[in-house]
Amino acid sequence: MEVVICSDEQQVGRVAAERVIKRLAGITTPVLGLATGSSPIALYAELARRAENGDVDLSHGLGFALDEYVGIAPTHELSYRDTIRRTVVEPLRMSPARVRVPDGNAADLKAAADEYDRAIREAGGVDVQILGIGGNGHIGFNEPTSSFGSRTRVKTLTQRTRDDNSRFFATGEKVPTHCVTQGLGTIMEARHVVMVATGAHKADAVAAMIEGPVAAMCPASILQFHPSVLVVIDEAAASKLTCADYFRHIEDHRAEVGA
Ligand code: GLP
């Protein structure tokens, strides 16, 4: 796992965006895996700036969001569909018809989830999966104890995740209890993963993911098996890493080994 420790959130966004652009270079129909949440906001803002400059063209690209709440209206501003429209599709100049979000309102949620998983494969798979990480180590909405072989499916949210995400919802408005999320097995099929995390509240999860044992209690730890993962974090999110100096040393000497 490649780990880059940055001074602040803006630098995290710049470094991560640079890598996403590099990974997509030369691909005619790039397929992006899209995370919601606050973590990738700076990354998307930088990608938007670079799209405006003409450094990257995603107008022919495809997008697959990681997850969606069950039972939330697609027009609700906190639905992941609307969040992806506002923070990704429009600023990155992607085509709305080419960016999909799991359907959390399907009459048959299981069938819709299965079809979503198939659609990712039929698109040729995800070239670059953008990820955040939950405070409990979840990726997408794969909560602790999720199967490492899981595919897109309905999951029950933990109370911790509902509490964490309650900050976005208006007072009195309930955080949904269920979601549809790409599985850990689905995410692991992406060719490249770029994860961003900032803030001290992510430090335990980041350390468990990078240095801890691969364990279902930290779903993100499965990424230790993935051959192409870049983790871009700020100092606060890196504060529990015992190997932080090693990662800084690698970055400082990257040019010397031609990497
Ligand atoms: C959310 C999303 C994840 C996200 C994570 C962290 O609930 N399902 O995709 O990466 O939890 O969220 P944030 O970036 O807001 O801290």
Side-chain angles (χ1 to χ4, degrees):
M1 219 179 261
E2 185 184 348
V3 180
V4 177
I5 302 171
C6 299
S7 53
D8 58 31
E9 197 173 342
Q10 268 52 51
Q11 195 190 359
V12 168
R14 282 196 301 275
V15 170
E18 188 59 47
R19 181 63 63 92
V20 171
I21 291 168
K22 190 174 162 193
R23 291 294 187 211
L24 296 180
I27 302 175
T28 323
T29 309
V31 183
L32 265 184
L34 302 164
T36 47
S38 44
S39 306
I41 295 295
L43 160 58
Y44 291 142
E46 179 66 10
L47 282 178
R49 200 183 65 76
R50 302 285 297 267
E52 204 175 318
N53 285 352
D55 296 340
V56 61
D57 178 7
L58 294 170
S59 58
H60 301 295
L62 295 169
F64 288 93
L66 279 172
D67 44 15
E68 176 61 288
Y69 291 116
V70 166
I72 198 166
T75 49
H76 191 299
E77 64 170 352
L78 293 179
S79 73
Y80 282 2
R81 174 176 300 280
D82 200 58
T83 305
I84 290 287
R85 177 188 64 76
R86 279 193 323 273
T87 60
V88 179
V89 177
E90 291 176 359
L92 272 57
R93 304 171 175 211
M94 296 183 79
S95 161
R98 295 170 72 79
V99 179
R100 289 193 59 179
V101 179
D103 185 352
N105 287 294
D108 185 340
L109 286 169
K110 185 183 178 324
D114 289 347
E115 187 277 327
Y116 193 80
D117 216 275
R118 272 197 309 277
I120 297 173
R121 281 190 168 153
E122 282 164 14
V126 168
D127 290 303
V128 180
Q129 175 65 57
I130 294 167
L131 287 180
I133 184 169
N136 62 1
H138 72 222
I139 49 176
F141 267 136
N142 292 280
E143 299 283 35
T145 73
S146 287
S147 161
F148 284 163
S150 53
R151 312 298 310 182
T152 305
R153 69 213 184 289
V154 175
K155 280 292 285 181
T156 304
L157 297 173
T158 59
Q159 191 56 47
R160 173 161 184 191
T161 296
R162 295 185 67 217
D163 290 345
D164 283 352
N165 288 4
S166 66
R167 68 189 191 280
F168 298 116
F169 286 78
T171 322
E173 207 178 1
K174 290 220 165 64
V175 181
T177 52
H178 292 78
C179 64
V180 180
T181 181
Q182 286 187 35
L184 293 172
T186 316
I187 293 168
M188 286 293 283
E189 286 173 4
R191 281 180 274 285
H192 303 282
V193 173
V194 174
M195 173 184 279
V196 284
T198 52
H201 60 300
K202 296 293 173 71
D204 285 321
V206 165
M209 168 184 71
I210 297 171
E211 297 177 346
V214 175
M217 283 307 283
C218 179
S221 65
I222 192 178
L223 295 172
Q224 292 178 28
F225 285 121
H226 195 289
S228 177
V229 178
L230 170 70
V231 181
V232 193
I233 50 182
D234 68 356
E235 292 285 351
S239 59
K240 299 269 175 80
L241 286 172
T242 57
C243 294
D245 284 341
Y246 174 62
F247 295 131
R248 289 190 190 96
H249 176 85
I250 293 171
E251 266 311 293
D252 292 346
H253 296 81
R254 187 170 291 286
E256 293 163 24
V257 288

